[in-house]
């Protein structure tokens, strides 16, 4: 057998790469990693973590306002963007250190820099070339900005986490979960915000009642929503502001244009042309159920293989990879009923099939839905509404989908996702005694199907 420097070389130290490297090393492999930019990856540096910190920050504006209904004196809170940015950066630096420590403690050799595949068994990091039996591509994904005149003036989520100044007005272009989250963040921080999306309604892959509820709630907050809206050019004005023209004939002046228009697999400049790697038309790397690419000793997982672009998915894929290839216990990924949250305001939590998906698959379904004012808002003065929905298989009584818009929806749905995993029925939900007074109790008290 050839004598390689390493058993495994992991390209990219993100959610998937860190876990794959650490577990493979724990199972006895000699592992090396390389990271180009973000120790800990997108999630830690320019994704889930800073995003959620910003969501917390932005929600205080409503909290301050609503506290008056509970007897707190009116206050005129001031907000300091620099403080938030500095505190966020300190926290991320702490996490960067923790991730590096995880690799060190597992005995993983780490290279700072961009890795390129030289051939099937060699990887270069700058001038250093190492040999390896297996290569794992865990390079994640990168924001895509559609090319329109002036699109170089737009920022993406990568830069939005490091803005020197908070704009007075912001245009968010896009209709996915990141666009909707950023619209909520900016609005909550006092930025006048408009969201422009080319389709008829945002959050395309979510249940229709989630999409409609979030639309109503954002409109109540006075976030400008432009659907069927296509930005065609961005011009930088002498004032430093930007003028955006739309195909529909309107135009807008704004201080910041944020494109959240999707992410593409990060396969550019990683040396795939040096090996015979098969990609799909969207550039995602094709792998089998053990994350093996079309090249026998090269593997890939996480955002770079397409599919669900979520941190816990990349992590679980990495667990399966390490177990299968370095513990010799074959483990495959189960993509069914992966729960997810969108931290727009109010939050979304969802698991299982949407109403439309269940119908398309051919289920005969019963729908249970409740839209209500949460108890907190009886005194807060807010007219925010929460929505909870169950999709049930009429024939077997099995729960097919849970969907929620409301505060801490992610926390609620995480527990429900476990019940889904073990095939919970509506009867078992009905037999569950609720916790009072909570929002979550609504899930076990819905008795009348709305479509009967
Ligand atoms: C704004 C935003 C918010 C998000 N919010 C959530 C959320 O709330 N919940 C959730 O589950 N997911 C969220 N995600 C998605 C989540 O961050 C990704 O799904 C996850 O990070 C994917 O993990 P990964 O290991 O595939 O890639 P990444 O974490 O992106 O890691 C890939 C790493 O590879 C490095 N790299 C790339 N090329 C090379 C190379 N040639 N050599 C060396 N290093 C290289 C990159 O610098 C990067 O650090 C969010 C993403 C964004 C952008």
């Amino acid at each position: 057998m050839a004598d390689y420097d390493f058993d495994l070389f992991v390209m990219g130290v993100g959610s998937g790469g860190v876990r794959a490297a650490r577990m493979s090393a724990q199972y006895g492999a000699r592992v090396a990693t390389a990271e180009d930019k973000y120790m800990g990856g997108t999630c830690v540096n320019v994704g889930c973590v800073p995003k959620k910190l910003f969501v917390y920050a932005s929600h205080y504006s409503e909290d301050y306002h609503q506290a008056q209904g509970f007897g707190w004196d009116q206050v005129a809170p001031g907000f300091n963007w620099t403080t938030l940015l500095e505190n966020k950066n300190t926290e991320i630096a702490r996490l960067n250190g923790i991730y590096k420590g995880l690799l060190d403690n597992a005995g993983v050799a780490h290279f700072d820099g961009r890795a390129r595949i030289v051939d099937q068994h060699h990887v270069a990091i700058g001038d250093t070339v190492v040999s390896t039996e297996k290569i794992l591509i865990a390079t994640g994904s990168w924001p895509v900005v559609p090319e329109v005149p002036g699109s170089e003036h737009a920022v993406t989520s990568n830069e939005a986490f490091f803005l020197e100044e908070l704009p007075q007005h912001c245009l968010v272009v896009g209709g996915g979960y990141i666009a909707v989250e950023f619209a909520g963040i900016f609005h909550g921080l006092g930025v006048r915000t408009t969201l422009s999306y080319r389709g008829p309604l945002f959050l395309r892959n979510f249940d229709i009642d989630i999409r409609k509820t979030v639309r109503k709630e954002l409109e109540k907050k006075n976030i400008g929503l432009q659907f069927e809206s296509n930005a065609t050019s961005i011009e930088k004005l002498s004032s430093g502001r930007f003028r955006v023209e739309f195909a529909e004939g309107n135009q807008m002046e704004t201080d910041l244009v944020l494109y959240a228009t999707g992410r593409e697999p990060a396969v550019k400049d990683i040396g795939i042309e040096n090996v015979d790697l098969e990609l799909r038309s969207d550039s995602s790397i094709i792998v089998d159920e053990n994350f093996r690419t079309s090249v026998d000793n090269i593997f890939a997982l996480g955002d770079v293989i397409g599919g669900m672009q979520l941190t816990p998915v990349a992590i679980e894929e990495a667990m399966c990879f390490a177990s299968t290839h370095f513990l010799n216990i074959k483990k495959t990924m189960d993509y069914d009923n992966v729960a997810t949250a969108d931290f727009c305001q109010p939050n979304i939590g969802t698991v299982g099939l949407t109403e439309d998906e269940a119908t398309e698959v051919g289920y005969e379904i019963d729908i249970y839905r409740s839209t209500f004012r949460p108890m907190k808002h009886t005194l807060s003065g807010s007219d925010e509404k929460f929505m909870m929905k169950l999709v049930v298989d009429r024939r077997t009584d099995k729960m097919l989908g849970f969907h929620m818009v409301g505060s801490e929806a992610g926390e609620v749905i995480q527990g429900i996702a476990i019940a889904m995993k073990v095939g919970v029925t509506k009867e078992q939900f009905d037999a569950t005694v609720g916790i009072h007074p909570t929002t979550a109790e609504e899930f076990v008290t819905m008795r009348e199907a709305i479509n009967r």
Side-chain angles (χ1 to χ4, degrees):
M1 203 172 114
D3 190 14
Y4 299 111
D5 297 333
F6 298 104
D7 300 318
L8 174 68
F9 192 98
V10 181
M11 299 170 62
V13 179
S15 306
V18 171
R19 185 59 67 94
R22 192 158 69 87
M23 296 314 292
S24 302
Q26 273 179 23
Y27 298 150
R30 294 169 308 143
V31 183
T33 53
E35 173 53 47
D36 184 26
K37 206 171 166 64
Y38 300 128
M39 174 55 69
T42 302
C43 174
V44 170
N45 293 273
V46 285
C48 336
V49 175
K51 181 264 306 275
K52 186 104 190 256
L53 294 175
F54 280 11
V55 169
Y56 284 134
S58 68
H59 206 265
Y60 277 101
S61 52
E62 278 183 15
D63 293 339
Y64 275 125
H65 189 67
Q66 293 174 4
Q68 291 166 46
F70 293 89
W72 292 93
D73 288 342
Q74 193 168 358
V75 284
F79 171 69
N80 190 321
W81 171 247
T82 310
T83 304
L84 174 62
L85 220 56
E86 283 173 4
N87 290 350
K88 182 269 290 180
N89 290 343
T90 305
E91 172 58 9
I92 304 301
R94 186 184 74 83
L95 294 174
N96 295 149
I98 287 178
Y99 275 86
K100 180 66 173 57
L102 287 173
L103 294 178
D104 291 345
N105 293 339
V108 172
H110 179 70
F111 296 85
D112 280 323
R114 190 163 186 83
R116 293 188 86 251
I117 299 172
V118 177
D119 63 32
Q120 210 173 325
H121 287 288
H122 290 89
V123 177
I125 315 97
D127 296 335
T128 310
V129 177
V130 298
S131 64
T132 177
E133 186 185 352
K134 293 182 172 71
I135 296 172
L136 176 65
I137 304 173
T139 50
S141 59
W142 198 251
V144 185
V145 176
E147 282 196 20
V148 297
S151 58
E152 70 277 8
H153 299 307
V155 301
T156 69
S157 53
N158 285 350
E159 297 78 41
F161 289 113
F162 299 94
L163 296 176
E164 279 176 19
E165 274 178 38
L166 202 55
Q168 295 200 346
H169 181 272
C170 170
L171 172 69
V172 179
V173 181
Y177 80 94
I178 294 174
V180 180
E181 287 176 336
F182 267 105
I185 289 169
F186 281 122
H187 168 78
L189 296 180
V191 177
R192 281 182 297 109
T193 305
T194 305
L195 181 144
S196 154
Y197 175 53
R198 63 183 174 177
L201 186 59
F202 50 24
L203 299 170
R204 195 158 44 97
N205 296 324
F206 288 85
D207 186 87
I208 186 65
D209 283 308
I210 284 187
R211 300 169 69 192
K212 288 180 179 168
T213 307
V214 173
R215 176 188 185 151
K216 269 191 207 150
E217 293 307 321
L218 298 199
E219 280 172 346
K220 280 185 205 166
K221 292 178 200 286
N222 287 326
I223 295 178
L225 299 180
Q226 294 188 179
F227 295 119
E228 315 270 18
S229 164
N230 293 277
T232 47
S233 69
I234 306 169
E235 183 192 350
K236 186 161 186 181
L237 305 173
S238 54
S239 62
R241 303 191 85 210
F242 301 99
R243 182 182 296 126
V244 183
E245 305 264 356
F246 295 89
E248 297 64 44
N250 54 321
Q251 54 172 241
M252 171 186 296
E253 277 193 27
T254 183
D255 305 298
L256 181 77
V257 184
L258 167 63
Y259 267 79
T261 37
R263 297 174 63 84
E264 64 185 13
V267 292
K268 281 186 195 140
D269 190 32
I270 63 168
I272 50 169
E273 64 284 2
N274 299 327
V275 282
D276 199 10
L277 213 62
E278 274 183 43
L279 306 182
R280 293 187 193 83
S281 57
D282 66 359
S283 303
S284 58
I285 299 177
I286 298 173
V287 293
D288 69 11
E289 60 170 10
N290 302 126
F291 305 102
R292 194 183 298 274
T293 68
S294 52
V295 182
D296 198 46
N297 70 312
I298 302 185
F299 300 82
L301 53 79
D303 281 10
V304 78
I305 63 170
M308 295 176 187
Q309 296 188 336
L310 293 171
T311 278
V313 170
I315 290 175
E316 189 54 25
E317 288 175 348
M319 296 296 283
C320 294
F321 166 82
S323 176
T324 302
H325 300 289
F326 293 103
L327 191 60
N328 287 325
I329 297 177
K330 193 170 165 177
K331 204 171 162 216
T332 52
M333 177 78 193
D334 179 2
Y335 293 97
D336 277 348
N337 293 325
V338 172
T340 184
D342 181 333
F343 299 96
C344 59
Q345 299 171 43
N347 295 173
I348 296 171
T350 182
V351 60
L353 300 181
T354 65
E355 179 176 349
D356 288 347
E357 284 167 348
T359 310
E360 271 160 33
V361 176
Y363 284 110
E364 263 188 54
I365 52 171
D366 280 331
I367 298 294
Y368 297 80
R369 189 181 60 216
S370 176
T371 304
F372 57 97
R373 184 169 66 156
M375 188 180 181
K376 181 179 175 188
H377 294 331
T378 56
L379 296 196
S380 74
S382 165
D383 62 352
E384 185 175 73
K385 296 275 195 315
F386 290 180
M387 191 284 299
M388 292 164 90
K389 176 171 176 177
L390 310 177
V391 182
V392 183
D393 180 359
R394 189 177 297 163
R395 200 175 51 84
T396 62
D397 198 43
K398 268 204 169 168
M399 295 291 206
L400 300 174
F402 291 85
H403 308 284
M404 172 173 176
V405 179
S407 64
E408 304 298 353
E411 308 289 343
V412 175
I413 292 288
Q414 182 65 87
I416 286 179
I418 302 167
M420 278 290 272
K421 214 65 191 164
V422 294
V424 70
T425 62
K426 177 72 169 69
E427 191 183 4
Q428 289 166 328
F429 254 62
D430 292 346
T432 303
V433 177
I435 304 170
H436 188 70
T438 62
T439 299
E441 71 179 312
E442 199 69 19
F443 267 135
V444 295
T445 54
M446 284 190 254
R447 294 288 187 268
E448 296 292 322
I450 58 167
N451 59 330
R452 289 238 179 185

